[in-house]
Amino acid sequence: MHKQATDHSNGLLANVGEGPHFDYLDVGLDNYLALLEGDTAFWSLINRSELFNTLNNSGLVSTVAAETSTCREEMKALRFGLTPSAVYFNPTERCNLNCTYCYLPEEMRRDGIHMPAEQVCQALERLEQHFRATLPAGARPQLVFHGSEPLLAKEAIFEAIANFGNYFRFGIQTNATLLDENTLTFFRDNQVGIGISMDGPNAQVGDSARQTWGGKGVFAQVEKVLQTLADYDGFNAICTVTRLNVSSLVEMVEYFHGKGVRQAMLNPVRCTRTGGLGLKPDNGELARNFFAALDRSFELLEQSGHKLVIPNFANVLMGIVAPTARRLMCDISPCGGGRCFFAVSARGEVFPCSEFIGLPEFCGGNLFEDEMNEILSSKQFQKVTTRKVENIEPCSRCAVRHFCGAPCPAEIYGCKGTLEAPPEYCSFYVEQARYALRLVGLGREDGFLWDNWRETTTETFSLQKLPCEADSR
């Protein structure tokens, strides 16, 4: 039973008791503010001039209070009720590039080991046994070959896909330098998702942080692969945003759009290691350029009809319009590490996420020696899977805490030696939520989300009878 959350003594409004506790946020719209209830991720756009009257007279508080239990249960299920259904699998520790910002230790990438093909298949057999016991019948877990550079272990990957393609949905994240014609044909024939990394619209920018061990850039080589893959349904590109390319994000969007790419992440560099931290862009500069790039993607959509989705932003926007339908799990707490997915190193060590592989204190066990259930419930994993914004200051009081999630725990640990701290990109994440809510107010959300998003979501609560005609969750 939720108590009425208003107190009109002395003519003032206050949130009390167990009911909804509202915050308002200026989202840059002339006539509207965003009203948010942080615990449930409820939001509504309210006419600025009617804010006080709406809270006092419209029945908003009592109506939201009546739905609070349902909304809380939805968020609880999203945050604490999911079962791992994906694996990031590193078949090798080595990489043929020496990118400045890599989250894996240099000595590992230079001198590390490969997992033999036979052992890769043994690992996948153990993973299949685990998933068959924990996932619903007929479910197909996702397995993404990750890195370092996974294609240095190409033969092992081919054998694994050939042997387990009927069970796992396979993907690969690669620097693309080893994607020859035969490899691409094999991946297409087996419907393998392919993600490649490209950090600039030209060689000067793109090669500034992504080079071989000998200092040679690879932009031209990767561009040829991108042109080949742009029309492939399972293709996406990833641009890691650093202070070296942050001012080129508009040009980056134009470049991807011009090549026919349909999905391209613009991921702010993770600061888990000193290389990434040294290339972190200023939060204000990142916000200006990131939102300008998003604005440009919408302009290009209107001009051409071709949509370029930026999945890391689309997921934040999805977290607003349909909180439990988000596709990525970095911007919610606990994050997806150890909860929705986990990572396996080339030595069989299991971590909550690939970002933790360079942090041995977060290894929960070894796939070849320990039971997966024991690994997933280990104290190393629990440190990550129980981390939530309610225990972090000032995150616990932030109105957009469930549109942010205070990520990334590995990054925060690498920078501050603790998991219980706010994110390095805190002010950027707040501005990102404001920008996303502004798009909703302008009715533009469809231009930034996946085409089928409405078909895959169900409305559970919509409040329309307010003094202004506003959307709400």
Side-chain angles (χ1 to χ4, degrees), residues 336-389:
R339 203 172 58 83
C340 303
F341 52 79
F342 54 87
V344 179
S345 79
R347 299 175 186 270
E349 298 163 329
V350 186
F351 295 83
C353 172
S354 294
E355 198 76 25
F356 282 103
I357 287 181
L359 301 170
E361 57 267 44
F362 287 92
C363 175
N366 192 290
L367 179 63
F368 299 109
E369 301 170 4
D370 305 301
E371 295 296 325
M372 274 305 309
N373 287 336
E374 295 177 359
I375 294 173
L376 293 174
S377 61
S378 66
K379 62 181 181 180
Q380 292 86 348
F381 269 57
Q382 287 183 12
K383 290 177 183 178
V384 179
T385 58
T386 61
R387 177 186 181 269
K388 54 185 182 179
V389 293

